Amino acid sequence: MPTIFFYGPELDNEKKKELIKSFTETASKLTGVDKSAFVIYLRPSSTDNVGVGGELLRERSKRENR
Amino acid sequence: MPTIFFYGPELDNEKKKELIKSFTETASKLTGVDKSAFVIYLRPSSTDNVGVGGELLRERSKRENR
Amino acid sequence: MPTIFFYGPELDNEKKKELIKSFTETASKLTGVDKSAFVIYLRPSSTDNVGVGGELLRERSKRENR
Amino acid sequence: MPTIFFYGPELDNEKKKELIKSFTETASKLTGVDKSAFVIYLRPSSTDNVGVGGELLRERSKRENR
Amino acid sequence: MPTIFFYGPELDNEKKKELIKSFTETASKLTGVDKSAFVIYLRPSSTDNVGVGGELLRERSKRENR
Amino acid sequence: MPTIFFYGPELDNEKKKELIKSFTETASKLTGVDKSAFVIYLRPSSTDNVGVGGELLRERSKRENR
């Protein structure tokens, strides 16, 4: 039954697969719960829907990349 | 105030309405809280953003349907 | 894989069981996903950790019950 | 580390910035945690993925606006 | 219907009330949704259930306070 | 900014640390986001607040262990 939510940047398919595989193996080993019981939700968030330190992430990233 | 989040497949409109109606009635009866106070968020997740048993759900479903 | 979160008042054991059974049956029927794949998390919230309409729920309830 | 999730209507950019700025300042002041540690996720929800009082919000809003 | 989740340190009662009041007023003004429709869940997290930068927050805080 | 929620059984301290370290390293490598930006919330759930396959997890586990 363990359930994991990952809020972060959009990933390409290969990286999604690697993240899901690694998280599931690590968490299964540590909890003793069979891998088949794990569900992971990837919840991508665009930088104009995230605030960090009081600012829109999109504006902060733009400024830092200048 | 009770709030319900449903992470699952996308549903058509008639099914959304039935799910919302049934969940609200059941939960209102069991909690004793008036139906008007219930909010339900449907948060659809595509099969390439869900991992089950360490695999992307999309790949798992493809394989099972072969 | 569908996952449901229920944020609401604490329930006794019989009511928890009824809520879990009813939500799972309804959602399984509407999504076509087997019941065994459903996980429901009951996340009870005490009235001093919930705000409704800008007020702590505990104070609001106290006032309404006077 | 505090993290805030806002489930609500889609906002335009200026309002997002104002909401993020205000929530962060208020919460930083009250918790004593530096503003830089706050992350806010705006999770917009369309009215056909929300149920209120047992009804789809979209239908309820339509009826009320008649 | 808007719903806000606040994951952070435990607050005393006066601060909870102030946070709830301020968040609700700000968000009501920016969304145009009546204050009565807002629900805020405070979900306190102890420092031994949070990881920051790959470390348990409790250990990190201890080290920084030395 | 990435944020991870882990809903599962309670873990002892050493396992919490290992889970947090491993998730953060994996996700940092795959996203390219610095480890310092990751926050992980461990949200333990007792077996009498989880439903699996329409049943309370506590009852299901008891039966399976007979």
Side-chain angles (χ1 to χ4, degrees):
Chain A
M1 109 244 182
T3 310
I4 298 166
F5 285 80
F6 180 78
Y7 294 90
E10 182 68 82
L11 295 171
D12 68 36
N13 236 38
E14 283 315 301
K15 288 180 173 170
K16 284 180 187 180
K17 285 160 66 174
E18 204 174 325
L19 188 144
I20 286 167
K21 190 166 180 288
S22 169
F23 276 22
T24 304
E25 282 172 0
T26 298
S28 170
K29 196 189 65 183
L30 290 168
T31 56
V33 175
D34 195 80
K35 286 200 296 177
S36 63
F38 281 83
V39 176
I40 300 180
Y41 290 95
L42 306 176
R43 309 292 297 171
S45 226
S46 73
T47 54
D48 59 348
N49 276 325
V50 183
V52 176
E55 285 184 291
L56 259 188
L57 184 54
R58 188 167 60 177
E59 308 216 332
R60 191 175 148 119
S61 307
K62 245 191 281 175
R63 211 183 48 235
E64 282 169 0
N65 291 333
R66 251 183 230 154
Chain B
M1 110 241 182
T3 310
I4 298 167
F5 286 80
F6 180 78
Y7 295 89
E10 181 68 80
L11 296 171
D12 68 36
N13 236 38
E14 282 315 300
K15 288 180 173 170
K16 285 180 187 180
K17 285 160 67 174
E18 204 173 326
L19 188 144
I20 286 167
K21 189 165 180 289
S22 169
F23 276 22
T24 304
E25 282 172 0
T26 299
S28 169
K29 194 189 65 182
L30 290 168
T31 57
V33 175
D34 196 80
K35 288 200 295 178
S36 63
F38 280 83
V39 176
I40 299 180
Y41 290 96
L42 306 175
R43 309 293 296 173
S45 226
S46 73
T47 56
D48 60 347
N49 276 324
V50 182
V52 176
E55 285 185 291
L56 260 188
L57 184 54
R58 188 167 60 177
E59 309 215 331
R60 192 176 148 119
S61 307
K62 243 192 283 175
R63 211 183 49 236
E64 283 168 359
N65 291 332
R66 253 184 228 154
Chain C
M1 107 233 184
T3 310
I4 298 166
F5 286 80
F6 179 78
Y7 295 89
E10 181 68 79
L11 295 171
D12 68 37
N13 235 37
E14 283 316 299
K15 287 179 175 171
K16 284 181 187 181
K17 285 160 66 175
E18 203 173 328
L19 188 144
I20 286 167
K21 189 165 182 286
S22 169
F23 277 22
T24 304
E25 282 172 358
T26 299
S28 170
K29 195 189 67 183
L30 291 169
T31 57
V33 175
D34 195 80
K35 286 200 295 177
S36 63
F38 280 83
V39 176
I40 300 180
Y41 291 95
L42 306 176
R43 309 291 297 171
S45 226
S46 73
T47 55
D48 59 348
N49 277 324
V50 182
V52 176
E55 285 184 291
L56 259 189
L57 184 54
R58 189 167 59 177
E59 310 216 330
R60 191 176 149 118
S61 307
K62 245 191 281 175
R63 212 183 48 236
E64 282 168 0
N65 291 332
R66 254 184 227 155
Chain D
M1 108 247 181
T3 309
I4 298 166
F5 285 80
F6 180 78
Y7 295 90
E10 181 69 79
L11 296 170
D12 67 36
N13 236 38
E14 283 315 300
K15 288 180 174 171
K16 285 181 188 181
K17 286 160 65 174
E18 203 173 328
L19 187 144
I20 286 167
K21 189 166 181 287
S22 168
F23 276 23
T24 305
E25 282 172 0
T26 299
S28 170
K29 195 189 67 182
L30 290 169
T31 57
V33 176
D34 195 80
K35 287 200 295 178
S36 62
F38 281 83
V39 176
I40 299 179
Y41 290 95
L42 306 176
R43 309 292 297 171
S45 227
S46 73
T47 55
D48 60 348
N49 276 325
V50 183
V52 176
E55 286 185 291
L56 260 188
L57 184 54
R58 189 168 59 177
E59 309 216 332
R60 192 175 146 121
S61 306
K62 244 192 283 174
R63 212 183 49 236
E64 282 168 1
N65 291 332
R66 252 184 231 155
Chain E
M1 109 241 182
T3 310
I4 297 166
F5 285 81
F6 179 79
Y7 296 90
E10 181 69 79
L11 295 171
D12 68 35
N13 235 38
E14 283 315 301
K15 288 180 174 170
K16 284 180 188 181
K17 285 159 67 174
E18 203 173 327
L19 188 143
I20 286 166
K21 189 166 181 287
S22 170
F23 276 22
T24 305
E25 281 172 1
T26 299
S28 170
K29 194 189 68 184
L30 290 169
T31 57
V33 176
D34 195 80
K35 287 200 295 176
S36 63
F38 280 83
V39 176
I40 299 180
Y41 290 95
L42 306 176
R43 309 292 297 172
S45 227
S46 73
T47 56
D48 60 347
N49 275 325
V50 183
V52 176
E55 286 185 290
L56 260 189
L57 183 55
R58 189 169 58 177
E59 309 216 332
R60 192 176 147 119
S61 306
K62 245 192 282 176
R63 213 184 47 237
E64 281 168 1
N65 291 332
R66 253 184 229 154
Chain F
M1 109 240 184
T3 310
I4 298 167
F5 286 80
F6 180 77
Y7 295 90
E10 181 69 80
L11 296 170
D12 68 36
N13 236 37
E14 283 316 300
K15 288 180 174 170
K16 283 181 188 181
K17 284 160 66 173
E18 203 173 326
L19 189 143
I20 286 167
K21 189 165 181 287
S22 170
F23 277 22
T24 305
E25 281 172 1
T26 299
S28 170
K29 194 190 67 182
L30 290 169
T31 57
V33 175
D34 195 80
K35 287 200 295 177
S36 63
F38 280 82
V39 176
I40 300 180
Y41 291 95
L42 306 176
R43 309 292 296 171
S45 226
S46 73
T47 56
D48 60 347
N49 276 324
V50 182
V52 176
E55 285 184 292
L56 259 188
L57 183 55
R58 188 167 60 177
E59 309 217 330
R60 191 176 149 120
S61 307
K62 244 191 283 176
R63 211 183 49 235
E64 283 168 359
N65 292 332
R66 253 183 228 155

